[in-house]
Amino acid sequence: MAERVRVIIDGETLDVPAFTTVAAAISIQGMRGTRRSITGEARAALCGMGVCHECRVSVDGRAHVLGCQTLCRDGLCIETMR
């Protein structure tokens, strides 16, 4: 099993440890938010267990995936809604 995996976040490649969640990978990259609220405020993972839905991103073209519940795998394409 690979110790690191390569993901693409908003077009930028990032190597992260295997079993890293998408929300953690976004944080590792240094992003402050994954989407915008209806009033334009940056939103990001809050609860870390899938209850708040603030970590929603698109993964491999599928919208509204919970980043805190999704593990990174090689070649995963993540798009934030920021």
Side-chain angles (χ1 to χ4, degrees):
M1 183 176 309
E3 291 184 25
R4 297 191 71 77
V5 295
R6 180 168 288 168
V7 298
I8 302 165
I9 303 174
D10 292 336
E12 294 184 31
T13 303
L14 178 69
D15 287 334
V16 296
F19 303 107
T20 299
T21 65
V22 168
I26 290 168
S27 180
I28 289 168
Q29 190 181 32
M31 293 180 149
R32 301 256 185 234
T34 57
R35 64 184 194 86
R36 297 261 175 211
S37 71
I38 58 171
T39 60
E41 297 175 83
R43 307 303 290 182
L46 178 66
C47 73
M49 60 184 179
V51 176
C52 70
H53 292 235
E54 295 293 350
C55 62
R56 288 177 291 164
V57 293
S58 291
V59 174
D60 290 338
R62 195 172 122 224
H64 305 293
V65 174
L66 298 179
C68 69
Q69 297 291 302
T70 307
L71 294 177
C72 291
R73 64 175 167 14
D74 242 354
L76 194 73
C77 185
I78 304 158
E79 293 178 37
T80 64
M81 299 172 247
R82 51 184 182 102

